């Protein structure tokens, strides 16, 4: 098939890879240089090159709606067409005097390679229409030879053991960061904002009602709310002081009611996968990345945990059925069964990720869905809903069998998504994989914290930020103690907290705390198991994070051995090092924004992000458990809080 207009031009241009100019020129194939004049043509590839391992493309896209996705599909080095053999294009600029836009990509593709461009697909999401241009264009590599995937670097530090500074910062006592996070988190639950109803959680204190107007986070996000209320549920389960326990219980029942109201909103755009609601608990209907199918799963997880804690504290099953679980009999007030069945019926469907950027099959979403289904099958059986239990278990088994596709042996990582990568997000590295464990691990061995594939992913993810952020050059605090690498969402991130800009992405408090929590949980998992095995896949993890242990591939080390103890000491030390980074860039009053600047370390983005506070608390709970501090969670829970209204 010939190019539109019969134009086929080869030109030589300079090519760049990782900001390095190459002496060898790149061969760019230009298919057309102007937007289509044919009213029936809505998508046209303009040019492409594969230079030094980078796929560069431009295309003309008719601007038919706000939400749209443009994906180029190709065959890899082995001639295969898979979901990984694709790249998402992004908006570049408009075309003057036309309704067309120029979209493009510049994506590292050398790991899998490219042999032929198959087609360019334009999905007009808002209209439910898809346009496709068949290409069948042979791709010839030019410029410098394709690079090879670099090994992780040598470690810059070897932190060991727990630090008194972190123990103090995370103490359940007045003046600590944990108590500051506690009070500031609860200020955002049932917030004292005009129009806000009981049971909602404001995502952060930036928006119309706050001094900081941008970004506008004055919404109740289903995901953020459920993860925050899971912290409240942990506090409820641990509280022994009657007034505090009752206050937590009241909030959790209000949250269950609010979730049921969300489910029954007549204006839902994509069913239960709606991502966010106004604080009056009516659905946001404007353009957005929807559906986000992790939300029903995490909401169900939190409320099932609450139901179990409530019954353990003497609550009766009838109340659980009426106010939490039985959506069939009580559809207006009991949300859990409905959310679980939605997950069971929709887990195979692509949806947007937790960063709301890309519709695909996401590891994070699959993991939280799996946890919800596994928990749900057991919970449904407990309340004698055997039909639902069977449905959920069947879905859980099928979902579990699907997870293998996320392991990429060529990259040595678990892919954050199995499908078209965001434009320029070619590393496939994302904090979502670690967050998937924290929020989605079902404690049954399926992708545990010490899984070899998880470990290989963690070392590549963490070290990717060393060359990304100027801040990573600061490796010690003022007392000479080790700082962990500042952790963002992913190394190619361009979101700066209010908009996008080149090299604009920053470290986030919640992702930095999540990495700390990962290391403490991995340490606990090894200690509980009493042994650790080293494989070809996990060797790089131990080489970077526990070099003093001198572990050998193929060996298994038992608790009490010098090697085992050295690894545990290292994991604990790295956990503290990452939390020390969060501490180092936290203002004196304990306020946590969404991000801290990649160059200066100053807070940036949404103020008082609720998830930031929740992440500090969950990490602190894990650290206290690891240290056998049995009083920590109870002491924190018994602090109590004053309702906002």
């Amino acid at each position: 098939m010939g190019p539109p207009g019969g134009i086929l031009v080869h030109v030589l241009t300079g090519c760049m890879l990782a900001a390095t100019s190459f002496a060898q020129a790149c061969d760019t194939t230009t298919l057309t240089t102007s937007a289509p004049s044919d009213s029936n043509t809505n998508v046209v590839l303009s040019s492409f090159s594969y230079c030094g391992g980078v796929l560069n493309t431009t295309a003309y896209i008719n601007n038919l709606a706000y939400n749209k996705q443009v994906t180029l599909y190709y065959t890899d080095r082995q001639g295969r067409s898979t979901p990984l053999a694709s790249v998402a294009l992004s908006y570049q600029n408009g075309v003057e005097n036309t309704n067309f836009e120029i979209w493009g990509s510049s994506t590292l593709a050398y790991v899998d390679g490219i042999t032929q461009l198959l087609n360019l697909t334009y999905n007009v999401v808002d209209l439910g229409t898809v346009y496709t241009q068949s290409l069948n264009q042979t791709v010839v590599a030019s410029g410098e030879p394709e690079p090879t995937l670099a090994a992780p670097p040598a470690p810059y530090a070897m932190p060991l053991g727990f630090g008194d500074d972190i123990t103090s910062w995370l103490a359940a006592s007045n003046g600590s960061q944990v108590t500051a996070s506690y009070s500031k988190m609860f200020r955002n639950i049932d917030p004292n904002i005009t129009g806000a109803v009981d049971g909602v959680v404001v995502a952060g204190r930036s928006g119309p009602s706050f001094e900081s107007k941008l970004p506008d986070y004055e919404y109740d996000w289903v995901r953020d709310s459920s993860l925050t209320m899971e912290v409240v549920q942990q506090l409820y389960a641990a509280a022994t002081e009657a007034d505090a326990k009752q206050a937590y219980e009241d909030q959790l029942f209000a949250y269950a009611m609010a979730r049921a109201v969300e489910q029954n909103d007549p204006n839902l755009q994509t069913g239960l996968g709606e991502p966010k609601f106004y604080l009056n608990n009516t659905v946001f209907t404007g353009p957005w990345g929807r559906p986000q199918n992790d939300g029903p799963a995490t909401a169900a997880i939190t409320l099932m945990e609450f139901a179990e804690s409530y019954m353990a504290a003497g609550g009766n099953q009838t109340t659980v059925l009426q106010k939490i679980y039985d959506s069939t009999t009580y559809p207006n007030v009991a949300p859990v069964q409905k959310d679980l069945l939605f997950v069971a019926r929709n887990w195979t469907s692509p949806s947007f990720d937790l960063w709301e950027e890309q519709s695909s099959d996401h590891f994070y979403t699959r993991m939280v869905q799996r946890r919800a289904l596994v928990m749900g099958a057991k919970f449904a059986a407990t309340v004698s809903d055997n039909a639902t239990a069977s449905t959920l278990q069947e879905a859980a088994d099928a979902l579990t069998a699907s997870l293998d596709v996320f392991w990429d042996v060529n990259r040595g990582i678990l892919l954050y998504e199995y499908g078209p990568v965001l434009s320029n997000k070619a590393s496939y590295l994302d904090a979502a994989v670690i967050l998937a464990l924290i929020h989605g691990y079902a404690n049954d061995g399926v992708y545990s914290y010490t899984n070899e594939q998880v470990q290989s992913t963690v070392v590549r993810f963490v070290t990717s930020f060393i060359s990304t952020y100027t801040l990573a050059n600061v490796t010690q605090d003022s007392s000479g103690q080790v700082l962990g690498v500042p952790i963002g969402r992913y190394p190619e991130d361009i979101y700066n907290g209010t908009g996008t800009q080149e090299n604009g992405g920053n470290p986030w408090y919640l992702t930095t705390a999540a990495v700390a929590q990962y290391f403490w949980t991995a340490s606990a998992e090894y200690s509980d198991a009493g042994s650790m095995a080293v494989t070809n896949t996990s060797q790089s993890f131990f080489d970077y994070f526990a070099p003093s242990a001198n572990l050998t591939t193929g060996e298994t080390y038992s608790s009490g051995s010098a090697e085992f103890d050295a690894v545990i000491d290292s994991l604990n030390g790295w956990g503290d090092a990452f939390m020390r980074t969060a501490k180092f860039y936290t203002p004196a009053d304990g306020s946590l924004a969404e991000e801290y600047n990649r160059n200066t370390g100053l807070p940036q983005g949404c103020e008082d992000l609720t998830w930031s506070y929740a992440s500090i608390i969950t990490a602190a709970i894990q650290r206290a458990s690891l240290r056998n501090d049995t009083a920590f969670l109870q002491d924190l829970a018994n602090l109590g809080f004053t309702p906002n209204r």
Side-chain angles (χ1 to χ4, degrees):
M1 177 179 174
I7 302 173
L8 181 59
V9 182
H10 288 277
V11 296
L12 295 179
T13 64
C15 180
M16 298 185 71
L17 175 61
T20 301
S21 297
F22 296 114
Q24 299 185 37
C26 292
D27 188 358
T28 296
T29 300
T30 300
L31 305 177
T32 184
T33 58
S34 60
S37 57
D38 179 2
S39 60
N40 294 320
T41 301
N42 295 294
V43 53
V44 173
L45 185 67
S46 173
S47 67
F48 68 89
S49 69
Y50 183 51
C51 181
V54 179
L55 175 62
N56 301 288
T57 67
T58 59
Y60 290 105
I61 304 299
N62 195 359
N63 182 21
L64 298 177
Y66 178 85
N67 282 308
K68 45 190 178 284
Q69 297 173 336
V70 182
T71 308
L72 178 66
Y73 294 92
Y74 55 86
T75 55
D76 64 17
R77 190 176 290 111
Q78 282 74 45
R80 301 172 303 180
S81 174
T82 74
L84 296 184
S86 58
V87 61
L89 280 66
S90 61
Y91 172 83
Q92 306 293 313
N93 54 265
V95 180
E96 190 174 357
N97 299 322
T98 77
N99 197 50
F100 277 82
E101 300 170 340
I102 295 177
W103 285 49
S105 68
S106 181
T107 305
L108 290 168
Y110 64 86
V111 176
D112 300 309
I114 300 174
T115 53
Q116 187 179 48
L117 303 184
L118 298 177
N119 62 71
L120 185 64
T121 298
Y122 172 26
N123 179 11
V124 191
V125 177
D126 291 340
L127 303 180
T129 305
V130 177
Y131 300 96
T132 301
Q133 179 192 15
S134 295
L135 296 170
N136 299 318
Q137 292 280 341
T138 299
V139 178
V140 178
S142 61
E144 289 289 314
E146 293 175 320
T148 57
L149 190 65
Y156 67 89
M158 290 187 287
L160 298 173
F162 297 115
D164 291 341
D165 60 324
I166 301 304
T167 300
S168 176
W169 200 59
L170 297 182
S173 57
N174 289 333
S176 75
Q177 180 59 42
V178 161
T179 56
S181 294
Y182 175 96
S183 62
K184 292 174 185 294
M185 181 185 77
F186 276 102
R187 187 170 60 153
N188 289 351
I189 301 172
D190 297 338
N192 186 18
I193 297 173
T194 301
V197 300
D198 289 345
V200 301
V201 179
V202 65
R205 302 187 78 80
S206 291
S209 298
F210 304 108
E211 182 177 347
S212 173
K213 303 301 181 184
L214 293 175
D216 185 1
Y217 280 24
E218 197 172 314
Y219 295 93
D220 178 293
W221 263 270
V222 176
R223 172 190 313 104
D224 298 40
S225 297
S226 63
L227 301 182
T228 300
M229 295 308 293
E230 188 175 24
V231 177
V232 177
Q233 130 62 26
Q234 288 180 281
L235 296 168
Y236 168 75
T240 57
E241 200 282 323
D243 289 343
K245 196 173 189 73
Q246 187 62 54
Y248 298 136
E249 182 178 301
D250 291 345
Q251 281 198 332
L252 286 158
F253 273 120
Y255 168 67
M257 182 68 215
R259 178 59 188 154
V261 171
E262 291 172 353
Q263 291 177 337
N264 290 284
D265 191 301
N267 297 311
L268 298 180
Q269 307 293 292
T270 52
L272 301 188
E274 282 300 312
K276 67 178 185 177
F277 292 75
Y278 295 104
L279 297 184
N280 65 5
N281 221 18
T282 59
V283 67
F284 172 81
T285 58
W288 209 255
R290 56 168 63 88
Q292 295 177 26
N293 289 344
D294 60 309
T298 53
I301 289 167
T302 292
L303 287 172
M304 283 188 290
E305 288 179 329
F306 169 50
E308 291 170 349
S309 297
Y310 175 74
M311 289 189 288
N316 64 73
Q317 184 171 300
T318 299
T319 301
V320 167
L321 292 172
Q322 292 176 345
K323 295 186 176 182
I324 299 175
Y325 177 76
D326 189 357
S327 310
T328 300
T329 309
Y330 309 100
N332 296 320
V333 293
V336 167
Q337 184 191 47
K338 185 182 291 186
D339 272 338
L340 289 172
L341 290 173
F342 175 86
V343 173
R345 293 163 182 159
N346 292 276
W347 70 265
T348 59
S349 301
S351 67
F352 276 81
D353 63 312
L354 76 168
W355 310 132
E356 309 185 303
E357 294 179 329
Q358 181 81 352
S359 180
S360 188
D361 294 323
H362 299 282
F363 185 73
Y364 173 89
T365 302
R366 289 282 176 91
M367 285 290 284
V368 297
Q369 288 173 329
R370 180 182 183 276
R371 182 184 175 198
L373 292 170
V374 170
M375 287 179 61
K378 295 177 181 177
F379 187 85
T382 298
V383 296
S384 301
D385 184 5
N386 295 323
T388 298
S390 178
T391 298
L392 300 180
Q393 188 60 59
E394 183 178 349
D397 292 342
L399 190 158
T400 302
S402 77
L403 293 174
D404 287 346
V405 300
F406 290 98
W407 173 245
D408 188 321
V409 66
N410 292 332
R411 292 173 174 83
I413 61 171
L414 286 164
L415 304 169
Y416 77 96
E417 71 176 33
Y418 186 64
V421 66
L422 273 177
S423 179
N424 302 325
K425 193 176 177 181
S427 71
Y428 275 96
L429 295 167
D430 197 298
V433 173
I434 292 175
L435 291 168
L437 271 66
I438 291 174
H439 302 299
Y441 179 48
N443 294 312
D444 59 358
V446 177
Y447 291 106
S448 71
Y449 289 78
T450 56
N451 174 282
E452 62 176 355
Q453 295 175 2
V454 170
Q455 291 174 323
S456 181
T457 305
V458 168
V459 67
R460 287 197 172 274
F461 171 70
V462 166
T463 58
S464 72
F465 292 105
I466 294 175
S467 59
T468 300
Y469 300 142
T470 301
L471 219 58
N473 294 321
V474 182
T475 59
Q476 295 181 344
D477 67 8
S478 57
S479 63
Q481 298 193 81
V482 175
L483 296 175
V485 182
I487 302 295
R489 300 190 301 175
Y490 50 90
E492 303 91 346
D493 197 1
I494 60 173
Y495 177 62
N496 63 13
T498 55
T500 59
Q501 67 182 91
E502 186 176 358
N503 297 321
N506 297 304
W508 287 38
Y509 290 102
L510 76 89
T511 52
T512 306
V515 171
Q517 184 173 342
Y518 166 81
F519 280 98
W520 293 327
T521 313
S523 174
E525 201 169 273
Y526 274 133
S527 295
D528 290 343
S531 66
M532 61 183 64
V534 183
T535 68
N536 282 324
T537 301
S538 65
Q539 183 71 60
S540 61
F541 175 87
F542 294 109
D543 287 347
Y544 190 88
F545 293 114
S548 63
N550 291 315
L551 303 191
T552 302
T553 298
E555 295 294 325
T556 298
Y557 301 91
S558 298
S559 177
S561 67
E563 294 88 349
F564 185 97
D565 292 346
V567 171
I568 296 300
D569 213 22
S570 295
L571 295 178
N572 296 341
W574 276 108
D576 273 26
F578 284 105
M579 187 57 76
R580 188 173 293 115
T581 297
K583 173 179 180 288
F584 193 68
Y585 297 110
T586 295
D589 67 352
S591 296
L592 296 176
E594 180 179 68
E595 310 168 19
Y596 50 104
N597 186 273
R598 63 193 287 154
N599 298 314
T600 67
L602 295 175
Q604 192 162 322
C606 179
E607 295 185 4
D608 291 303
L609 189 77
T610 312
W611 194 355
S612 293
Y613 295 126
S615 69
I616 294 292
I617 295 172
T618 57
I621 291 171
Q622 178 57 51
R623 186 178 187 270
S625 174
L626 178 62
R627 297 179 65 247
N628 295 314
D629 183 355
T630 56
F632 171 83
L633 183 53
Q634 185 179 104
D635 289 346
L636 182 63
N638 286 339
L639 287 176
F641 66 95
T642 301
N644 294 310
R645 57 177 191 271

